[in-house]
């Protein structure tokens, strides 16, 4: 006798179990020699080695079909349980926007034109720069894409990093070790992951370094292979720091670099390297650039106006700086 515990993750539980558990009841009827039960997203099966193995394969087929199409009809389920190949389903435009199913079957999808463009860019490029204002979903969409790649086994791990630059406040006085002091900088990444994994699963993945969250400085000297890498808040990185990260990428890795040039927190004597790096690399094949605007903002309606006001001021400041540099050059 063998007992198997299977976690049904990354798919809609409502779609998997069906209305009033009708699909799950069909599965149970197909395996009369097994004792099958479910609790939340966990399914338990008890029986002979052969029957349990066949049951596990059937559940995996169901979840893979759901990850691919986002839905599983009664007809397709019957075909699977009979050992036949299910027919492919027509996928609506709304289904195409689905990136991944998160915690408790939460549907995580592209919600704007440029977020959809991000999904298309990753198909043909190994490095993507996603640059735009706050509230456009740059980080959240990137994390969802990384989770999808991990669940589809396109990569073996996810590496999330950002510069540990203080946003106008000093955290050095806070109690705790280095991790305790750095974690506040990385909180947005934790928040995104919390939407996509149950707490115990996320803890397991992080404890086993399948998902790694670390400051940018920790990337120096490493080779980041077979991984989906996200560098967040890249406007707070210098040109040399960006070069350091991008030259760490191994041959079977993908990388998304996100940033917002209106929120640079670097000291006055340091200059952001983000826009220089984007301009330098954007014409290289295999590198994609996505520029998001206030139209992609998904927060409160006033956020778009706030973003536009800050962008206008940022552009004016850039123009003034260029004029000063030109006047200084002419003066010499």
């Amino acid at each position: 006798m063998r007992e198997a515990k299977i976690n049904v993750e990354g798919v809609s539980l409502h779609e998997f179990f069906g209305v009033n558990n009708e699909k799950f009841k069909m599965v149970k009827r197909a395996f009369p020699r097994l004792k099958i039960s479910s609790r939340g997203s966990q399914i338990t099966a008890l029986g002979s080695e052969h029957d349990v193995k066949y049951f596990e394969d059937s559940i995996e087929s169901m979840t893979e079909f759901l990850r691919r199409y986002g839905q599983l009809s009664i007809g397709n389920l019957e075909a699977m349980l009979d050992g036949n190949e299910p027919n492919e389903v027509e996928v609506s435009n709304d289904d195409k926007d689905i990136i991944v199913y998160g915690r408790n079957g939460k549907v995580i999808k592209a919600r704007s034109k440029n977020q959809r463009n991000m999904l298309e860019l990753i198909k043909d490029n190994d490095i993507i720069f996603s640059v735009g204002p706050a509230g456009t979903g740059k980080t959240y969409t990137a994390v969802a894409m990384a989770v999808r790649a991990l669940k589809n086994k396109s990569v073996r791990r996810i590496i999330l990093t950002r510069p540990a630059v203080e946003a106008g406040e000093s955290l050095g006085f806070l109690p705790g070790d280095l991790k305790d002091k750095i974690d506040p900088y990385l909180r947005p990444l934790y928040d995104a992951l919390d939407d996509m994994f149950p707490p115990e699963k996320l803890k397991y993945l992080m404890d086993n370094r399948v998902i790694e969250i670390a400051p940018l400085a920790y990337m120096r000297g490493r080779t980041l292979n077979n991984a989906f890498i996200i560098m967040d808040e890249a406007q707070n990185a210098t040109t040399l720091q960006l070069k350091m990260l991008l030259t760490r990428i191994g041959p079977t890795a993908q990388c998304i670099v996100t940033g917002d040039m209106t929120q640079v927190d670097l000291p006055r004597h340091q200059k952001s390297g983000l826009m220089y790096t984007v301009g330098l690399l954007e014409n290289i094949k295999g590198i994609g650039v996505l520029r998001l605007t206030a139209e992609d903002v998904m927060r409160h309606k006033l956020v778009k106006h706030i973003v536009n006001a800050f962008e206008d001021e940022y552009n004016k400041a850039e123009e003034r700086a260029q004029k000063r540099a030109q006047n200084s050059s002419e003066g010499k």
Side-chain angles (χ1 to χ4, degrees):
M1 297 288 284
R2 178 188 163 208
E3 183 180 70
K5 293 184 183 296
I6 307 164
N7 275 312
V8 183
E9 296 176 339
V11 299
S12 167
L13 297 183
H14 175 76
E15 191 65 35
F16 180 89
F17 287 99
V19 178
N20 295 323
N21 275 346
E22 63 173 330
K23 294 178 187 175
F24 189 58
K25 290 173 184 175
M26 286 175 60
V27 173
K28 291 172 75 172
R29 286 195 296 269
F31 294 90
R33 291 194 298 269
L34 291 180
K35 184 177 180 181
I36 302 169
S37 60
S38 68
R39 184 174 182 179
S41 63
Q42 187 177 81
I43 298 171
T44 302
L46 177 66
S48 71
E49 179 72 29
H50 177 269
D51 288 345
V52 169
K53 179 66 171 64
Y54 184 40
F55 177 78
E56 288 176 315
D57 290 343
S58 298
I59 297 299
E60 183 177 356
S61 296
M62 290 174 64
T63 55
E64 284 301 316
F65 192 89
L66 275 168
R67 286 190 187 105
R68 184 175 182 185
Y69 297 110
Q71 55 186 295
L72 176 65
S73 69
I74 295 294
N76 282 324
L77 178 56
E78 287 176 340
M80 283 183 183
L81 295 175
D82 288 339
N84 301 318
E85 286 293 320
N87 296 319
E88 292 190 355
V89 297
E90 272 191 39
V91 181
S92 69
N93 286 333
D94 191 54
D95 291 331
K96 290 177 183 177
D97 292 341
I98 296 172
I99 304 172
V100 70
Y101 286 96
R103 186 175 170 183
N104 297 324
K106 178 178 180 179
V107 178
I108 297 169
K109 61 173 69 178
R111 297 172 60 197
S112 72
K113 180 181 177 181
N114 269 326
Q115 287 182 10
R116 296 183 191 99
N117 290 340
M118 194 186 232
L119 300 182
E120 291 301 313
L121 275 177
I122 201 66
K123 294 177 182 178
D124 302 314
N125 300 280
D126 287 331
I127 297 174
I128 293 176
F129 288 91
S130 178
V131 183
T136 52
K138 303 182 299 296
T139 301
Y140 194 84
T141 304
V143 172
M145 291 164 66
V147 170
R148 179 178 68 178
L150 182 67
K151 289 185 174 182
N152 290 343
K153 299 179 181 172
S154 303
V155 298
R156 290 184 182 175
R157 55 185 176 147
I158 297 172
I159 298 173
L160 309 173
T161 185
R162 63 191 301 188
V165 175
E166 297 167 352
E169 307 94 2
S170 176
L171 299 179
F173 68 89
L174 291 175
D177 58 17
L178 180 61
K179 181 181 183 301
D180 295 327
K181 292 177 186 293
I182 288 172
D183 271 359
Y185 296 110
L186 307 174
R187 188 68 252 171
L189 300 174
Y190 287 110
D191 289 343
L193 289 170
D194 283 341
D195 271 0
M196 299 176 201
F197 291 105
E200 64 280 0
K201 179 68 172 179
L202 181 57
K203 184 178 186 305
Y204 171 83
L205 293 173
M206 296 186 70
D207 287 347
N208 288 274
R209 301 181 70 81
V210 177
I211 296 178
E212 179 183 352
I213 305 179
L216 179 60
Y218 284 27
M219 299 297 110
R220 189 173 298 278
R222 300 177 59 182
T223 298
L224 308 176
N225 201 17
N226 209 348
F228 199 112
I229 305 147
I230 298 173
M231 179 182 177
D232 194 32
E233 300 286 353
Q235 76 277 1
N236 288 328
T238 64
T239 303
L240 287 177
Q241 287 174 320
L242 279 160
K243 178 186 174 184
M244 179 271 290
L245 178 79
L246 295 174
T247 54
R248 301 298 97 206
I249 298 173
T252 57
Q254 288 187 301
C255 178
I256 297 181
V257 178
T258 71
D260 174 5
M261 285 306 300
T262 65
Q263 296 195 54
V264 177
D265 300 311
L266 289 167
R268 289 184 179 274
H269 66 277
Q270 284 187 313
K271 188 173 181 181
S272 171
L274 179 58
M275 295 317 296
Y276 173 81
T277 303
V278 169
L280 187 68
L281 304 180
E282 68 177 321
N283 293 321
I284 297 176
K285 187 177 181 181
I287 296 179
V289 176
L290 183 68
R291 292 179 173 87
L292 297 102
T293 69
E295 296 306 310
D296 297 296
V297 171
M298 294 294 155
R299 294 178 182 168
H300 192 284
K301 61 184 180 181
L302 289 176
V303 173
K304 291 184 180 182
H305 300 295
I306 294 168
V307 165
N308 283 330
F310 275 98
E311 282 191 340
D312 288 345
E313 183 56 33
Y314 170 76
N315 291 331
K316 289 175 184 176
E318 285 288 291
E319 288 176 8
R320 290 194 294 268
Q322 289 175 6
K323 285 180 181 178
R324 284 196 299 271
Q326 184 178 356
N327 293 338
S328 175
S329 177
E330 290 173 355
K332 292 180 180 178

